[in-house]
Amino acid sequence: MKNKNKISKLARYLIALSLPGYSDDSVIGDYEELYMRKLSADGKLKAAAWLWLQIIKTLVPFIKHSIEWGGIMIYNYIKNGFRNILKNKIYSFINITGFAVGIASCFLIYVYIEAELSVDAYHEKADNIYRVTSWLNIGGNEFNGSATNALIAPALRQDFPEVETAIRFRRVGGASVRYGDKEFNEYGITYADETVFDIFTWPAIKGDLKTALTKPNSIVITEDFAQKYFGDDDPMGQTLVFNKSKNMIVTAVIENIPFNSILGYSAICSFKTIETPENLSSLLFTDWTSHNFHSYVLVKDNTDLKALEEKMDKLLYKNAGESLEESGSSKKYHLHPLRDMYLNPPASASPPITYVYIFSAVTIVVLLMACMNFINLSTARSIKRAREVAVRKVLGAFKYRLIVQFMTESILTSVIAFLFSIGLIYLFMPGISEISGWNFFDLLSEPVVYFSGLFFFTLLIGIVSGFYPSLVLSSFQPAKILRANSGRSSSKSSLRSVLLVVQFTISIALIFSTSIIIRQIDYLKNKDAGFKKEQLLISRLPSQTVRRSLDALRNELATVPGVASVSFSSTIPSWGLASNSKLPEGYEETQTLLMDEMNVDHYYIETMGMELVAGRNFSDEFPTDRHASVIINETAARKFGWKEPLGKIIRQRNPENMDEFLSRKVIGVLKDVHQRSMTGEIQPLFMISDPDFPFSFNDLRVVEMRLSGGDIQETIENIKVKWKSLFSGKELNYSFMDEVFNRQFRRYELSKQLLSYFTTLAIIIACLGLVGMASFLAENRTKEIGIRKVMGASVFSILKIFIKDFLKWILLAGLIALPVE
Amino acid sequence: MKYLTRAEELILLAVVRLKEEAYCVPIYDLVQEMSEKEWTLGSIYNPLYRLEKNGFVKSYLGAPSAERGGKSKRYYKVTKTGIKALQEIRKLHEQSWDDISEALI
């Protein structure tokens, strides 16, 4: 007989919930009986109302009650947990600290790695963006170039169906930019073709990106740039004056380019601006074998890159095959993914991504060690407390309660460790920001996500480390424990020994590797670079300083007290140099050689502390030096096979007329200098002193000032004053040569410091583990010690026994570590 | 020894009065009648449960009845201990109210 008016399932569930005590359905039956009564007496509505009123009135106090008591229980567990933690202050401190430090470090490294991997990943089409690079082979020298000519990008865009679009970048170089009364030197501006915004994701705040760069003399600026020049005014349509002569109109404003991007421009000018008739007919724009632009291409999905590269090669050879053959060189295009440009640059010997791998590995290892330790120590300690557990059980504690008790303690410990690690993270942030070059405060601008992840991880470890001992312990037979010698379980202690050995092996291995790497890095840093980098101030001349007045400038600057000598050059060591093919005497016209080029004044060699091993410096006494002389370095002389380099001729094609050759005579040989970096082979150097040299890349724009010791600060102040007076109030922006030069080691520095740090950390953790184990074992063997003492053993002999055991392990660890090296 | 609470006392008295038919629903009705107030089923059950735990009352399941859709009823019966508790509380009441005249309240 089905009763259609039964109480709903939900009602029944709630009734059963709020009335614990009777587990049969007589209770439901009672409710139903009353419900039926109400139903026939007052109708469905009133009956339902009565029913639900009953339910709520019982449920609410029940919930309140449960919460109240539940709260008291939890409070009690926590109170007990704290008491236990404080009871063993040293142990708890070691545990928490070791864990917190390990976690904090690994967290920071994780954030660092994530940042490194995120470079330029934000572009929507990032996976299809490639930089056009090429493999060059000039006279037998392999060379990987990141720059291209001006022609390949437009060709890609127009004639290649698998290409969505392609653009060129060309840096504006140092330029003075003025709006109203605001004028600054800008170095982060580039020219770019109009479809640049179709490739890179730089959203606009104002203006239409589709048309922003279609006309010449247009400029798209970033937020910060707008703020700098226009403040709160609307920049749209305003005019910025470049180098006092060129007007650029603001056509759009874009969001700041994220800091994790290799294309960190502050503004973009339209490429059409430099596509003037005279430029277009110059070699800059017509020579297929030149490398003066950076080209990027956006390909369609699933494009066959190899096929595309081959097509590009064909096009290259169609246009420049002859001249390439004539100079005895070959060139192959290579499309390098944008995502790889930072970590895996085309021309790098040891790509930074190896560091990412190394750090990841080290992080995981140390993290594992920290967790192992934490679990280890917790477990060992809980076993020590087996006696306490046994007593409790005898006195009638529920197994459930015990488990909860231990779990609470362990979770409490890990929560405290978590809080502690957050403090540590913020403590280390400035340091690691400095070393790694990433601003961690920016990276962690939304800490909630990161920290909750960290919290859950810490919690997990806490649970895991509490789980094992609590389960095991609460199922111990009390009698067994109280009777025997405080719970030594053989299987567990061998596991722990293994863990310890592993920890020590890792530590020893880390010590070895770190010391090797540190030695190598220090060697590099202290190696003689070929010039004196100390006390050398470097700056740039503001915009287009008239070249003829360089002598006057130099004389003025040299009068500043504290300045020993002044010189100008196109570049300085570690800033990169141009590299072009030359024809040394004795070589066939097809055997050109690539030489590093730089343009200097007569005082460069002296100011930099470089040396000539043969011949003479450029000099005013020889006016032909300007157009007809060149200084080479030892490497060049050696490579050319010249025993007597002085007087030899080196020729190069006239950039303004490719059929002609320009000749220069070698007047001096410079002692080798590491002009590019301390690693890598020194390239042959072609050093000229020609203020009229046509390419702006070789303008004499860098100033070097040798300081003569004494009060550096004062000298700098004096220079600043003089600078202002020479350059109508402009501020002096300067750096020191040793800082600049050492920037190439930044990555090595980072590795060195991180590795040292992690090694220390690993050792500390391993030692902590050892301490924990030692104390545990010592306590375990209290009886044994007692007996030995009674039998007359000296303290020393007892110590010997213990030490022997530990040494055994450490030696084992060492033996394992050595072959690993 | 702990005293009965007022609710427990009332419910226990209802159980006594209902003799054989002392299950939840009649107890619920009777108690509401006796106190002239509205009670919830929960406030009948919980004291009953406590009373049973303390040994003042004994419960047993009756036969499943068709009208309840197969569910049985739980019947309650006062125990000797329960009677003793009732007597104690009665004595306590009489002794405490003995001299208090209407005028004082």
Side-chain angles (χ1 to χ4, degrees), chain A residues 1 6 19-22 24-34 37 50 54 57-58, chain B residues 23-25 28-29 39-42 45-46 48-49 52 61 66 68 71-74 76:
Chain A
M1 156 155 82
K6 271 217 199 116
L19 289 175
Y22 293 125
D24 53 64
D25 51 8
S26 60
V27 173
I28 306 289
D30 292 328
Y31 271 86
E32 273 180 357
E33 188 178 321
L34 279 165
R37 211 168 65 182
W50 172 88
Q54 291 291 310
K57 281 185 117 167
T58 319
Chain B
Y23 69 99
C24 215
V25 176
Y28 171 73
D29 290 333
W39 289 57
T40 62
L41 275 169
Y45 274 121
N46 284 323
L48 268 173
Y49 183 68
E52 177 155 19
L61 276 174
R68 274 190 170 218
K71 303 189 185 66
S72 40
K73 296 186 201 182
R74 189 171 275 275
Y76 296 87

Side-chain angles (χ1 to χ4, degrees), chain A residues 607-622:
Chain A
T607 310
M608 295 295 283
M610 298 180 181
E611 252 184 72
L612 284 166
V613 293
R616 62 170 178 85
N617 190 8
F618 302 109
S619 153
D620 289 327
E621 292 173 31
F622 296 84

Side-chain angles (χ1 to χ4, degrees), chain B residues 62-95:
Chain B
S65 71
E67 72 192 20
R68 274 190 170 218
K71 303 189 185 66
S72 40
K73 296 186 201 182
R74 189 171 275 275
Y75 291 94
Y76 296 87
K77 206 163 120 93
V78 189
T79 59
K80 285 214 192 79
T81 330
I83 304 279
K84 273 233 254 317
L86 277 173
Q87 288 169 336
E88 186 192 41
I89 206 85
R90 173 124 189 224
K91 195 163 100 173
L92 180 67
H93 191 264
E94 279 171 1
Q95 283 180 332

Side-chain angles (χ1 to χ4, degrees), chain B residues 53-66:
Chain B
K53 231 173 62 167
N54 289 328
F56 299 139
V57 113
K58 220 170 39 187
S59 77
Y60 57 95
L61 276 174
S65 71

Side-chain angles (χ1 to χ4, degrees), chain A residues 132-410:
Chain A
V132 181
T133 68
S134 42
W135 290 102
L136 292 166
N137 188 316
I138 300 192
N141 290 326
E142 275 269 313
F143 174 61
N144 188 313
S146 270
T148 65
N149 55 41
L151 302 141
I152 188 70
L156 281 167
R157 186 167 65 222
Q158 280 149 14
D159 305 328
F160 286 68
E162 57 271 70
V163 167
E164 290 264 4
T165 183
I167 58 121
R168 298 159 287 189
F169 282 117
R170 182 165 163 85
R171 286 223 174 220
V172 171
S176 79
V177 178
R178 181 176 65 79
Y179 174 75
D181 58 346
K182 298 218 165 53
E183 184 169 5
F184 302 94
N185 277 343
E186 297 287 343
Y187 296 101
I189 309 185
T190 182
Y191 294 107
D193 283 306
E194 63 208 54
T195 55
V196 63
F197 298 108
D198 291 337
I199 303 185
F200 302 105
T201 308
W202 293 322
I205 303 180
K206 286 202 170 87
D208 178 16
L209 292 179
K210 287 227 178 300
T211 58
L213 294 176
T214 45
K215 300 226 258 301
N217 292 71
S218 324
I219 180 171
V220 174
I221 59 179
T222 58
E223 284 177 80
D224 281 350
F225 194 96
Q227 183 67 28
K228 191 166 154 185
Y229 287 88
F230 301 100
D232 294 322
D233 298 336
D234 184 8
M236 296 291 289
Q238 300 293 340
T239 304
L240 291 158
V241 183
F242 274 50
N243 293 329
K244 301 197 203 300
S245 53
K246 210 148 51 172
N247 285 353
M248 306 290 288
I249 304 184
V250 178
T251 52
V253 182
I254 53 175
E255 287 175 15
N256 286 330
I257 295 184
F259 56 85
N260 57 341
S261 181
I262 59 172
L263 305 158
Y265 302 120
S266 55
I268 303 182
C269 301
S270 61
F271 202 82
K272 292 231 164 57
T273 317
I274 50 174
E275 283 180 324
T276 60
E278 42 172 276
N279 274 347
L280 282 173
S281 56
S282 78
L283 265 164
L284 194 63
F285 275 79
T286 57
D287 183 7
W288 274 86
T289 63
S290 66
H291 310 97
N292 291 301
F293 299 85
H294 283 156
S295 300
Y296 283 89
V297 62
L298 175 68
V299 302
K300 299 210 165 92
D301 289 330
N302 303 318
T303 306
D304 180 356
L305 282 180
K306 277 254 166 303
L308 180 55
E309 284 169 1
E310 275 169 28
K311 270 170 87 170
M312 288 161 69
D313 288 339
K314 278 213 197 72
L315 184 61
L316 170 69
Y317 274 84
K318 195 168 83 169
N319 284 300
E322 267 179 47
S323 61
L324 280 172
E325 272 165 32
E326 269 176 36
S327 59
S329 42
S330 70
K331 182 163 145 174
K332 253 169 38 140
Y333 276 116
H334 169 64
L335 293 171
H336 204 81
L338 174 68
R339 298 284 311 271
D340 277 355
M341 283 301 299
Y342 175 69
L343 288 172
N344 233 333
S348 174
S350 63
I353 197 168
T354 49
Y355 291 106
V356 174
Y357 290 144
I358 293 178
F359 291 147
S360 310
V362 171
T363 307
I364 293 178
V365 159
V366 173
L367 189 64
L368 272 175
M369 276 179 71
C371 294
M372 272 196 303
N373 230 28
F374 188 71
I375 295 178
N376 232 6
L377 281 179
S378 303
T379 313
R381 251 213 76 237
S382 338
I383 292 183
K384 237 174 54 181
R385 292 175 57 195
R387 205 167 267 169
E388 170 194 340
V389 172
V391 169
R392 278 185 183 237
K393 289 191 96 169
V394 164
L395 291 181
F398 288 117
K399 177 170 168 178
Y400 171 72
R401 269 207 64 173
L402 282 171
I403 294 181
V404 174
Q405 178 83 30
F406 282 118
M407 289 295 285
T408 338
E409 251 178 71
S410 153

